[in-house]
Amino acid sequence: MSQSISDKVVRNLSQNSPFSEILEQNLSRRSVMRGGLGAAFAGLAGLGLAACGGDSDNDNNNGGGGTDNGGGTDTPSAFKLGFESLPVSMTDACVVPAGYVAHVLAPWGTPLDDNAQPWDRDGNNTSNDLLHSTGMHHDGMHFYPLNGSSSEGLLALNHEYIDQGALHPSGPTTVGGKRPVEEVRKEINAHGVAIVHIRRDAGHWGVVKNSRYNRRFTSATPMRLAGPVAGTDWVKTPYSPLGTVVRGTNNNCGNGFTPWGTYITAEENWAACFVNTGTRPAHQSRVGVATSSGRYRWETAAGDATEVQGEFARFNVTATGADATQDWRNEVDGFGYLVEIDPHDPSSVATKRTALGRFAHEGCAYSKLEAGQPIAFYSGDDSRFEYLYRFVSDAVWDPQDANRTDRLAVGAKYLDKGTLSVARFNADGTGDWLPLTVDSVATDGRTLGQIFGSLDAIIINTRGAADAVGATPMDRPEWTATHPGNGDVYLALTNNTSRNATTGTNAANPRLNNVNGHIIRWHDQAGVARFDWDIFVYGSSAGADADTNRSGLTTLNQLASPDGLGFDERGVLWIQTDNGIDGGRNNDVAKATNDQMLAVVPGALADASGTGPVINAGNQAELRRFFVGPNEAEITGFAYTPDYTSVFLNIQHPVNWPAYGTDDATALPSGTVRPRSSTVVIQRSDGGPVGA
């Protein structure tokens, strides 16, 4: 998630025990134990990696990054990282290990077809150009090989937010208190998702222009609503009186994918794009709907003669009419979901899967597949003191579904009916999934049905329901990733500078004012409510005291604000950071290096003592820095080809990159350039697998 649009207001006013307090108790307990939990997690860390799975001839192959279509195995693997850790860098360009090359692919404004003009370095592209080009601020993504190919496929690519200063020639303008309609439409079209057909020719990747697969989903694209909220009074609007359709997907940050070949895009900081100048209902207040003006003031363009079906008015959700079909009060209730897209079918309609909850979703990873067992999907709510969620399908996994071509129908089977739960982490190293159903009992003794009324109301009020059952407030839970061999699930907790005594922590907590973040993991079964958890690594500067640098990180792997996570099927965990400039490089890690991507093979590590994090002073060298980005840019998004010869990542909100006139990602700009968020492709010079 970009720090530029992060919700810095603490909206969780519950008194639930914070994760910091639980972590302190857990660490104290583990320091005197070697048996149960310590030994259990030493066993988890030592499990072998999965054999590389997936059907290379299957057009639906998910491309890796979690589990293979058949569920994987626990066959041990001897894979070792084959590169040396990079030193820190503050170069305003991309830095890769010796023997690697990196080039820019599909930067913001790249035409997908002939309906768009080439990107203009002076910012003069139109809203129509943006409708037919890659959007702004690339984020989560996934690669879908065509016919199992490692040289041709579809790149599904999120566009999280916009930088108005870069998007327009001289920044945004206002005329008579209103935003110009063309600027607003341009901004709306710069958001969303792109499906981009790409091909490698002579070692170089490029966009296949005018491909039938190329398409854009923007903040105005009609999408279906499915699951418990669809068709209810919560989402009925003048545009959709039946409550079955909503326009647009917004602030698409993290992502996921499914074993049946679809893409999941996560709607994160969408709430502030809407404004309610009247009385906000509780569910709007809890997610942060604005009270004076929307983030981009799109609502001010309402009333223009060219406005179509309230395309701008809908961002003002103040109740003014007799009911929800007479104003736009419910428009915001159509946002905050995981959205399923079939990248293979250009005629398909994106579908919002409401059963998986409504909050600031940050990605979606699914559990290790087992035939005849339900599938679990994990998603963090990226804000201070928010929660981790799990959705378990009612349907059990049928491996034949991986080969179906009616992919959104398969999605309906697994994603529209099931149980949404929220995590409570216990001090003894266990955790509990607390169901968010009408029969679930809140901490005050009432059921959620008595508090909220119905399942659709619980989904609309997901955060409030999680508050009520006593979930554990976390430090900005972001991306989740599933180990392809043993099924352990990893979660990045980016940071929480608001952690203090007032918000539930205490001075004895070793990570008070958690500016560096950490990664946790847990071992889970989709149909079981209890899980075991452990700390994988603590972010820290190399020079921090031992109580802060509990993982013993050095200058070769110091990190802060872990954000993006991804496994490849060899069992390599790739960790991306969003430390940025931290308000002027105040953080010690930010003073030393730009944002980065690191790699580690978790199965090679074992916490033999049972008293500390999995990555510790004794094995920290296995965590290696693979990539460093340009100044002020976040490193985000992860994908790779089935043969591992190309790895894709995204450079978001660079300040002065990439250089004009070249697609060499490592080239330094000459002078000042209009920055363009871009995908970067990393390959070995000898054509071998990346990381080996």
Side-chain angles (χ1 to χ4, degrees):
M1 176 191 70
S2 169
Q3 296 183 34
S4 301
I5 58 168
S6 65
D7 187 357
K8 299 178 176 62
V9 177
V10 175
R11 302 191 184 278
N12 185 350
L13 302 181
S14 72
Q15 299 301 308
N16 297 347
S17 298
F19 182 70
S20 53
E21 178 181 315
I22 295 165
L23 175 58
E24 176 202 1
Q25 298 172 30
N26 174 263
L27 291 173
S28 298
R29 181 178 183 274
R30 293 188 72 211
S31 67
V32 295
M33 291 187 66
R34 280 277 317 262
L37 180 64
F41 273 96
L44 282 180
L47 283 176
L49 306 180
C52 296
D55 179 0
S56 62
D57 296 322
N58 181 4
D59 187 56
N60 298 344
N61 190 309
N62 64 38
T67 56
D68 64 83
N69 289 340
T73 70
D74 285 331
T75 305
S77 169
F79 184 80
K80 300 289 184 181
L81 296 177
F83 63 92
E84 297 298 321
S85 191
L86 289 173
V88 296
S89 170
M90 296 178 74
T91 302
D92 203 6
C94 297
V95 180
V96 293
Y100 284 83
V101 295
H103 71 260
V104 173
L105 171 68
W108 151 49
T110 299
L112 301 179
D113 56 50
D114 289 336
N115 291 308
Q117 295 297 313
W119 181 78
D120 180 77
R121 67 175 62 182
D122 294 320
N124 291 311
N125 290 102
T126 67
S127 60
N128 184 70
D129 292 335
L130 266 295
L131 184 61
H132 297 274
S133 303
T134 52
M136 206 171 201
H137 290 308
H138 300 23
D139 207 303
M141 64 179 167
H142 192 72
F143 178 77
Y144 295 85
L146 290 176
N147 299 314
S149 174
S150 286
S151 59
E152 185 173 15
L154 308 179
L155 193 65
L157 177 62
N158 285 354
H159 301 296
E160 184 187 6
Y161 74 108
I162 57 169
D163 176 354
Q164 293 171 302
L167 183 61
H168 305 297
S170 300
T173 60
T174 301
V175 180
K178 291 180 173 288
R179 294 290 316 286
V181 168
E182 170 60 15
E183 286 189 8
V184 172
R185 287 188 176 131
K186 185 176 178 180
E187 293 172 8
I188 285 173
N189 289 345
H191 278 80
V193 178
I195 306 299
V196 187
H197 186 178
I198 59 175
R199 181 183 295 143
R200 183 171 59 187
D201 183 22
H204 187 88
W205 286 91
V207 173
V208 181
K209 194 176 180 183
N210 295 312
S211 166
R212 71 183 186 91
Y213 293 111
N214 291 342
R215 64 192 302 209
R216 281 296 316 282
F217 301 86
T218 74
S219 295
T221 304
M223 299 182 175
R224 291 196 182 104
L225 289 167
V229 173
T232 68
D233 289 342
W234 292 103
V235 287
K236 293 177 179 178
T237 67
Y239 180 78
S240 180
L242 298 180
T244 57
V245 180
V246 65
R247 277 177 292 182
T249 183
N250 225 59
N251 298 107
N252 304 85
C253 191
N255 71 289
F257 54 90
T258 69
W260 51 90
T262 58
Y263 183 67
I264 303 291
T265 184
E267 298 182 325
E268 192 195 18
N269 287 310
W270 43 273
C273 291
F274 298 87
V275 60
N276 186 339
T277 59
T279 301
R280 288 187 304 178
H283 70 280
Q284 289 186 10
S285 178
R286 188 64 178 81
V287 296
V289 171
T291 57
S292 58
S293 65
R295 177 185 295 133
Y296 304 117
R297 303 184 67 233
W298 291 340
E299 72 279 0
T300 67
D304 185 87
T306 66
E307 184 178 19
V308 179
Q309 294 183 289
E311 61 179 304
F312 311 124
R314 66 192 177 105
F315 291 99
N316 186 334
V317 296
T318 308
T320 57
D323 58 47
T325 64
Q326 304 301 311
D327 58 41
W328 297 100
R329 69 184 71 177
N330 285 345
E331 183 72 10
V332 69
D333 296 342
F335 291 79
Y337 304 105
L338 293 170
V339 186
E340 186 178 20
I341 294 171
D342 184 353
H344 308 275
D345 182 359
S347 66
S348 60
V349 178
T351 303
K352 298 196 177 189
R353 301 296 184 187
T354 66
L356 282 78
R358 178 174 177 266
F359 47 87
H361 283 277
E362 182 76 29
C364 179
Y366 62 86
S367 59
K368 182 179 177 181
L369 300 175
E370 295 184 46
Q373 296 297 315
I375 311 174
F377 298 83
Y378 305 91
S379 187
D381 185 353
D382 184 8
S383 194
R384 292 166 175 82
F385 302 112
E386 294 302 340
Y387 306 120
L388 168 68
Y389 295 87
R390 181 182 79 167
F391 174 82
V392 177
S393 63
D394 282 352
V396 297
W397 174 239
D398 179 356
Q400 293 302 313
D401 286 339
N403 302 312
R404 288 171 56 177
T405 57
D406 56 340
R407 300 173 190 87
L408 292 177
V410 179
K413 173 181 177 180
Y414 292 104
L415 299 177
D416 285 347
K417 293 183 179 180
T419 301
L420 179 67
S421 300
V422 65
R424 180 179 65 205
F425 290 80
N426 303 318
D428 64 356
T430 64
D432 296 289
W433 293 110
L434 309 175
L436 301 180
T437 65
V438 292
D439 296 324
S440 298
V441 179
T443 56
D444 66 2
R446 294 181 295 167
T447 66
L448 293 185
Q450 290 173 318
I451 297 172
F452 297 102
S454 59
L455 179 59
D456 51 277
I458 291 171
I459 295 295
I460 290 289
N461 292 274
T462 301
R463 282 182 173 178
D467 294 340
V469 297
T472 301
M474 307 290 279
D475 284 359
R476 288 186 54 199
E478 298 221 27
W479 294 48
T480 50
T482 303
H483 191 296
N486 57 38
D488 293 346
V489 188
Y490 290 66
L491 169 68
L493 297 168
T494 292
N495 57 46
N496 189 349
T497 55
S498 298
R499 177 188 283 180
N500 54 45
T502 302
T503 55
T505 57
N506 56 69
N509 190 288
R511 302 299 298 260
L512 186 67
N513 185 31
N514 184 13
V515 298
N516 295 311
H518 52 290
I519 296 173
I520 65 170
R521 65 177 185 176
W522 61 93
H523 194 68
D524 194 21
Q525 291 178 272
V528 179
R530 177 60 59 96
F531 62 92
D532 296 317
W533 65 272
D534 201 357
I535 301 294
F536 183 66
V537 64
Y538 289 97
S540 175
S541 61
D545 60 63
D547 209 31
T548 298
N549 190 6
R550 288 176 172 262
S551 289
L553 304 184
T554 71
T555 57
L556 291 176
N557 55 19
Q558 61 183 336
L559 67 98
S561 299
D563 189 332
L565 295 178
F567 270 103
D568 66 36
E569 292 188 51
R570 300 170 299 183
V572 181
L573 176 64
W574 300 87
I575 302 169
Q576 300 170 323
T577 68
D578 182 17
N579 195 44
I581 59 172
D582 192 48
R585 295 195 186 271
N586 296 319
N587 178 280
D588 285 344
V589 177
K591 291 177 181 178
T593 190
N594 291 338
D595 272 310
Q596 57 191 298
M597 184 166 80
L598 306 98
V600 66
V601 183
L605 304 172
D607 178 17
S609 66
T611 61
V614 175
I615 293 181
N616 53 60
N619 58 31
Q620 56 76 29
E622 297 299 322
L623 175 65
R624 305 180 188 181
R625 184 180 295 118
F626 175 76
F627 178 90
V628 185
N631 291 347
E632 301 189 23
E634 171 186 350
I635 311 305
T636 185
F638 175 75
Y640 59 93
T641 56
D643 64 0
Y644 311 110
T645 58
S646 296
V647 162
F648 307 87
L649 56 79
N650 287 321
I651 302 297
Q652 190 183 99
H653 56 75
V655 66
N656 193 50
W657 178 92
Y660 290 153
T662 178
D663 68 355
D664 180 359
T666 67
L668 286 166
S670 176
T672 301
V673 302
R674 188 176 293 266
R676 300 174 75 185
S677 292
S678 307
T679 296
V680 169
V681 187
I682 305 171
Q683 301 173 95
R684 271 177 42 175
S685 301
D686 64 5
V690 173

